[in-house]
Amino acid sequence: LGAQLQALLGISAKYFPGLKVSYIPISPTQGDYSPIVATANQNSGFVMATDAPTLVHFLQTAKQQGVKKPTSISSVILLQGNTVKQLGPLATSLYSPGGFLPAADTSSKAVVKFNAAMNAVNKKASKDDFSEDAYLGVELFADVAKGMKNVTGPAVAAKLDQLDGLSLGLLPPIQFTTPDKSFGPLDRIFNPDVVYMQINKAGKALPTTGSFVNAFSGANPTKP
């Protein structure tokens, strides 16, 4: 995982030449987080690519040491279950990237539609990137299969290869004709845009900007 993260950071470095990144591994059996926090505190901010228990221990230790730095988590999925309760106020102001508009952003008609569809089945179901991905997968298939007389795997795949600019609302228009070239040998990435979010006092993620941007370059702002 460490090597993969460093490779991805290398892609970002060419867009932000002045950016200095320190990779700090955390053992799964880490007991005392004080030295980890002390080392991390030498930087201007933290990006936590960890599991939920590690995030909790790190932020609790940082609070004990009086460390206050901008902190981003790898996904809002880290805050599922009891994690928000365990963090309490420490969850507030955390940053996170997301592939879709968050369920709390009810200013979007697409989000309102998604929430209604989820609530119609199970009001207690998690409304996160996983559920939005599944929801949009069904929407995508329905759109592609519309009007097809012979709905087979190869036929659907062929039509997907020609897809260019399908708008599903929770994310920028989807295309599978031109792969993004930011990722070098990873030539099957077509839609690299993310939305940056921040956790509010209620533990909900809300966008910090009104558009999606390229996850590595920060460029190509697009609206869903």
Side-chain angles (χ1 to χ4, degrees):
L1 177 60
Q4 293 171 343
L5 287 173
Q6 289 176 309
L8 292 174
L9 288 172
I11 298 173
S12 296
K14 69 179 182 179
Y15 295 105
F16 303 96
L19 179 66
K20 295 182 180 180
V21 179
S22 301
Y23 173 68
I24 305 171
I26 302 177
S27 168
T29 58
Q30 187 76 34
D32 182 8
Y33 279 74
S34 297
I36 299 294
V37 171
T39 301
N41 194 36
Q42 298 174 31
N43 297 276
S44 300
F46 313 133
V47 178
M48 304 295 297
T50 66
D51 57 15
T54 299
L55 173 67
V56 171
H57 287 307
F58 180 91
L59 292 181
Q60 288 177 340
T61 303
K63 179 183 179 182
Q64 292 169 359
Q65 295 186 358
V67 174
K68 296 181 179 179
K69 295 286 177 71
T71 302
S72 176
I73 55 179
S74 56
S75 170
V76 289
I77 296 172
L78 280 175
L79 301 181
Q80 294 294 320
N82 293 323
T83 306
V84 170
K85 292 182 180 179
Q86 289 177 304
L87 287 174
L90 294 177
T92 304
S93 297
L94 288 176
Y95 292 95
S96 175
F100 315 101
L101 291 176
D105 183 18
T106 52
S107 64
S108 164
K109 292 181 179 179
V111 170
V112 172
K113 180 182 176 183
F114 165 73
N115 288 340
M118 291 288 288
N119 290 336
V121 178
N122 183 359
K123 292 184 178 180
K124 295 183 179 180
S126 296
K127 299 181 180 72
D128 54 29
D129 272 19
F130 284 147
S131 53
E132 286 183 294
D133 191 27
Y135 170 84
L136 290 178
V138 175
E139 295 263 295
L140 175 61
F141 176 81
D143 188 274
V144 171
K146 187 186 303 180
M148 292 180 65
K149 294 181 179 180
N150 187 22
V151 183
T152 64
V156 171
K159 196 168 180 181
L160 283 172
D161 284 340
Q162 301 173 17
L163 186 67
D164 188 8
L166 173 63
S167 180
L168 295 177
L170 291 176
L171 72 173
I174 301 171
Q175 63 86 24
F176 294 121
T177 60
T178 307
D180 188 277
K181 299 186 182 301
S182 303
F183 301 80
L186 303 179
D187 59 0
R188 294 292 295 172
I189 296 178
F190 293 87
N191 301 279
D193 291 342
V194 298
V195 61
Y196 290 105
M197 302 174 286
Q198 192 169 25
I199 312 303
N200 65 13
K201 292 182 179 180
K204 304 294 184 181
L206 289 172
T208 58
T209 63
S211 63
F212 283 75
V213 297
N214 183 287
F216 287 91
S217 70
N220 305 322
T222 53
K223 293 186 177 181

